[in-house]
Amino acid sequence: MSHDHRHFHERLESQDDQSINPSANPPLAELIDPARRNVLKGGLTLAALGFFGGGLSACAKASASPLLGFKGVPVQLDPGFDRVLVAEGYRAVPFFSWGDPVESGAPVWKADASDDWQAQLKQAGDNHDGMNFFPFEGETDRGLLVMNHEYINPPLHPSGTIDLSKPRPLDEVRKEQAAHGVSVIEVKKGKDGQWQRVMESPYNRRITMLTPMRIAGPLAGHALMKTASDPAGLEVLGTLNNCATGVTPWGTFLTCEENWPNYFINRDPADYTQRVSHKRYGLSNSGTSKYYAWETADARFDATPAADQPHGGHVNEPNRFGWVVEIDPFDPKAQPIKRTAFGRFSRECAALSLGGDGRMAFYSGDDAKGEYVYKFVPTGRFDAANPKVSRDLLDEGTLYAARFDADGNGHWLALVHGQNGLTEENGFASQAEVLVNARAAADRAGATPMDRPEWAAVHPTSREVYVTLTNNDGRGSKQPVDKANPRPNNLHGQILRIAEQGADPTATAFTWELFLLAGEAKGAKDKDGKPVPANLVGTIQGDLFSSPDGLAFDAQGRLWIQTDFDDAEAAMHNMGCNMLLCADPATREVRRFLVGPRGCEITGLAWSPDGKALWANIQHPGLSYPASDGKTRPRSTTVLITKEDGGVIGG
Ligand code: FEO
Ligand code: CA
Ligand code: CA
Ligand code: CA
């Protein structure tokens, strides 16, 4: 079973990151202002030195960082490694696994996976991903842990397989839909000082692919959102492929819909070719939808236009995914809200930057090869004196895509109808068209195609924005190499650092540099003892890793990095299993804090208010974690990490 599971996961991953950006935005060299180039030659600034890949500091001896107070752990090369290894003086225990009861009346998980879809609706979903902790007002020892369940793995079913060669049984599809979405669980610190779940809490809640949600913002009620089952275009069932997250200043959770195109199909070749909202996102147009063939049991996922049905049947259903969904964890009755002003793409996250005056920006990656980095700037400002009134601020604002110039400057390009070529003659009849087709709008505006943008994280005091670019084996062939994406066949990825002009979240100009290039150490050897090729060598000072994905700052300004690479891939032979690392943004030193079981990626992290508990997610473990007995089916699991002396994590 575990072998089927591994292959299935790898198949999904290779579809996640397809390169379908057809735009030929000019190589950065053509965008450089020649005058600037001279300035750059004449006097290198510190920032400019940094952006050439670590610059001088890469050669400097790694200093002992005052921020990193733990001893790094070694890579785990054993193909049978089936547990979580954490730094000395810490412990990591399974806290919340797929199938654990969430809502009242949920049955206890059955090891043969025989729970039906009605049970799954009340149990923890699969593939735990982005996660945040929300303390109860005025309390530090009690809160709500809210997390995404991104997709599903074949061990969801008793057979341990998913057969895409015949129509899917509806009860299997429903169980898969029920295992998607979000979990809200109440947690509290017990008398022994350890965090535990509150099993009977009115806040414990599952949100799934079947939960009704309201469409808000510019697309609410728009013709592009109307379907045969929702002729008003105001309510959609469910959220899917919820990857990373964001939080608002008013204490709500933002969940982001990533690889939604892989759940739909449009079988009409003529329609598909001209329908930007399908083709530019890579919907399937033959066979089955790319992931689970739900359309064979649930007609909503067949987006082939149906002339005999109102609103073309379900042709607009894919337009209703790819958004930011706002959930109020403290109001279990409140409907989740899809906020369409954020624009539609394979959104990884929505990381908040909040200025002292209430100005806001939310940063997002679009995770596919050659896609873009975005930010959404609400028009209004957050009013701390009146926080609840602020939430509809998410319905009005400006979506921008980033252009990274070769000289270390950058520009946010407004995706606004009538600006940057987003006109009717270029295929954008209105702002609604711009938002639904945000990728095409960013193509037209001239954004820089990136190496699969994943998470963004904002430094708690400087407001510098860090972005993971996980990897891109199409760089150098599908997209030209440039300064921000400097390595052809980039298997290891990089982390960018962006400084907004004046540290203003709403600025339209920024400077940027490469914080680090992940990958092998200089002089590293491959399996046959030959030097690894130059494109696989990075600039990491400290412990090595590949494919940065999850990224977050703790309150003290430590940068935590989570990895997602295929640990069966030969090129990863020096990297072992996926891991959680910690970096000092000032010295760039990186230290490995935790290594997960074989087959998993590490994703999602959240802290208790005192910084003494850290939750992290072990997504799609490949062997038998968390039972780790060599026979129980593996389960995605949140682990709770504490320091044995009760101290702050990482310090
Ligand atoms: Fe859901 Fe791009 O990771
Ligand atoms: Ca990710
Ligand atoms: Ca990833
Ligand atoms: Ca992944």
Side-chain angles (χ1 to χ4, degrees):
M1 179 188 65
S2 62
H3 287 288
D4 288 341
H5 162 51
R6 284 290 291 283
H7 286 144
F8 196 85
H9 175 68
E10 282 145 26
R11 190 178 64 76
L12 290 192
E13 288 290 285
S14 65
Q15 286 161 352
D16 276 8
D17 51 19
Q18 54 205 312
S19 189
I20 46 175
N21 185 345
S23 78
N25 287 338
L28 285 162
E30 291 168 24
L31 295 169
I32 308 170
D33 172 350
R36 277 231 179 86
R37 195 182 282 165
N38 288 335
V39 170
L40 190 65
K41 272 186 192 154
L44 286 171
T45 62
L46 279 179
L49 276 174
F51 98 79
F52 288 113
L56 295 178
S57 50
C59 310
K61 200 163 154 276
S63 59
S65 160
L67 271 184
L68 310 181
F70 62 91
K71 196 163 146 241
V73 297
V75 292
Q76 295 301 313
L77 302 171
D78 174 7
F81 188 72
D82 198 20
R83 61 192 177 88
V84 171
L85 172 70
V86 68
E88 199 179 299
Y90 288 84
R91 61 178 172 179
V93 294
F95 189 81
F96 182 60
S97 296
W98 158 55
D100 281 352
V102 176
E103 295 191 350
S104 180
V108 171
W109 180 75
K110 295 184 186 64
D112 62 359
S114 60
D115 288 317
D116 64 9
W117 71 275
Q118 300 284 356
Q120 180 62 71
L121 280 174
K122 296 181 169 197
Q123 295 170 323
D126 201 356
N127 280 311
H128 306 28
D129 206 323
M131 168 167 65
N132 296 92
F133 180 95
F134 296 86
F136 283 95
E137 206 176 333
E139 295 188 54
T140 53
D141 290 350
R142 194 166 74 100
L144 301 177
L145 192 61
V146 187
M147 78 183 68
N148 287 335
H149 298 290
E150 189 180 25
Y151 60 104
I152 62 98
N153 298 309
L156 189 78
H157 302 300
S159 66
T161 59
I162 293 177
D163 184 357
L164 300 180
S165 70
K166 35 181 196 274
R168 300 293 319 281
L170 182 60
D171 58 346
E172 280 192 12
V173 168
R174 288 285 183 252
K175 187 171 182 187
E176 292 166 20
Q177 293 171 339
H180 279 66
V182 173
S183 285
V184 180
I185 54 172
E186 184 178 338
V187 295
K188 66 165 191 199
K189 207 191 257 187
K191 288 201 178 73
D192 59 356
Q194 282 295 305
W195 286 84
Q196 53 194 231
R197 289 191 54 197
V198 177
M199 298 305 292
E200 287 299 324
S201 162
Y203 299 99
N204 289 343
R205 180 184 188 189
R206 279 300 322 283
I207 288 155
T208 74
M209 188 50 216
L210 299 163
T211 305
M213 17 202 100
R214 178 160 77 82
I215 298 168
L219 270 296
H222 193 279
L224 287 167
M225 304 298 259
K226 293 179 178 173
T227 73
S229 25
D230 175 26
L234 291 171
E235 190 177 86
V236 57
L237 273 191
T239 183
L240 52 68
N241 220 267
N242 303 81
C243 188
T245 68
V247 291
T248 64
W250 46 93
T252 56
F253 178 77
L254 301 177
T255 178
C256 303
E257 298 178 326
E258 189 191 7
N259 289 305
W260 53 270
N262 299 336
Y263 295 74
F264 295 97
I265 186 166
N266 176 350
R267 299 174 197 281
D268 179 332
D271 181 82
Y272 183 82
T273 302
Q274 55 78 42
R275 194 175 292 275
V276 178
S277 64
H278 290 186
K279 190 178 178 210
R280 183 63 184 79
Y281 294 92
L283 260 67
S284 174
N285 64 344
S286 64
T288 64
S289 59
K290 290 177 179 173
Y291 275 4
Y292 310 115
W294 284 352
E295 73 282 359
T296 60
D298 186 344
R300 174 154 77 107
F301 297 89
D302 187 341
T304 310
D308 57 337
Q309 288 181 44
H311 307 290
H314 305 289
V315 68
N316 288 330
E317 189 67 18
N319 295 350
R320 294 142 61 86
F321 294 86
W323 305 104
V324 168
V325 184
E326 186 180 15
I327 295 168
D328 184 348
F330 293 103
D331 185 354
K333 296 272 176 293
Q335 236 188 12
I337 304 169
K338 297 206 177 190
R339 299 287 187 186
T340 60
F342 279 78
R344 172 178 167 268
F345 43 89
S346 288
R347 185 187 303 272
E348 189 76 21
C349 65
L352 168 71
S353 179
L354 178 63
D357 55 5
R359 281 188 246 207
M360 289 176 277
F362 294 89
Y363 297 89
S364 298
D366 180 355
D367 180 10
K369 296 174 194 176
E371 296 302 337
Y372 307 119
V373 173
Y374 296 83
K375 77 169 174 181
F376 172 69
V377 174
T379 306
R381 296 187 189 190
F382 171 62
D383 177 4
N386 211 353
K388 293 284 174 198
V389 174
S390 302
R391 62 183 54 186
D392 289 325
L393 293 178
L394 297 184
D395 286 339
E396 200 186 316
T398 307
L399 177 65
Y400 296 91
R403 194 186 80 205
F404 295 87
D405 295 348
D407 63 357
N409 285 299
H411 295 274
W412 291 108
L413 309 167
L415 304 184
V416 172
H417 186 243
Q419 298 180 28
N420 289 315
L422 304 176
T423 58
E424 183 136 26
E425 62 264 29
N426 289 333
F428 300 94
S430 64
Q431 184 61 17
E433 300 256 4
V434 169
L435 292 170
V436 166
N437 295 313
R439 279 187 178 173
D443 295 344
R444 173 61 67 174
T448 304
M450 308 300 282
D451 287 343
R452 297 185 56 204
E454 297 242 31
W455 291 39
V458 179
H459 188 278
T461 53
S462 74
R463 290 191 209 116
E464 284 176 325
V465 184
Y466 292 67
V467 180
T468 49
L469 303 173
T470 197
N471 56 47
N472 180 3
D473 62 9
R475 182 64 62 177
S477 49
K478 301 270 174 45
Q479 299 91 30
V481 165
D482 62 34
K483 290 289 187 191
N485 305 276
R487 291 181 294 183
N489 188 23
N490 176 14
L491 301 186
H492 293 313
Q494 63 265 27
I495 300 179
L496 288 191
R497 175 156 66 187
I498 295 170
E500 299 277 21
Q501 197 169 63
D504 176 358
T506 72
T508 55
F510 59 87
T511 57
W512 65 272
E513 60 177 321
L514 287 169
F515 179 66
L516 59 78
L517 296 171
E520 304 280 5
K522 223 175 150 192
K525 301 280 200 303
D526 70 12
K527 274 192 165 144
D528 307 319
K530 299 201 195 83
V532 302
N535 64 308
L536 302 184
V537 174
T539 61
I540 295 171
Q541 299 175 56
D543 291 338
L544 299 184
F545 64 93
S546 175
S547 304
D549 187 339
L551 193 70
F553 279 100
D554 65 23
Q556 290 81 34
R558 291 178 203 88
L559 181 62
W560 294 82
I561 304 165
Q562 301 179 308
T563 70
D564 173 20
F565 52 83
D566 176 357
D567 65 12
E569 178 77 29
M572 298 299 155
H573 78 284
N574 283 338
M575 300 297 175
C577 296
N578 278 286
M579 58 191 83
L580 168 64
L581 308 102
C582 189
D584 181 332
T587 65
R588 303 186 198 228
E589 185 180 351
V590 178
R591 215 172 286 174
R592 190 178 301 109
F593 179 73
L594 173 152
V595 179
R598 185 60 63 173
C600 83
E601 75 182 76
I602 308 291
T603 182
L605 66 179
W607 288 267
S608 61
D610 60 9
K612 294 176 177 176
L614 169 65
W615 288 271
N617 283 327
I618 308 298
Q619 193 189 60
H620 60 78
L623 302 175
S624 65
Y625 188 79
S628 301
D629 58 3
K631 55 178 196 238
T632 306
R633 68 186 64 216
R635 304 160 78 189
S636 289
T637 294
T638 305
V639 293
L640 168 63
I641 299 156
T642 50
K643 201 171 178 181
E644 280 158 10
D645 70 3
V648 168
I649 306 294

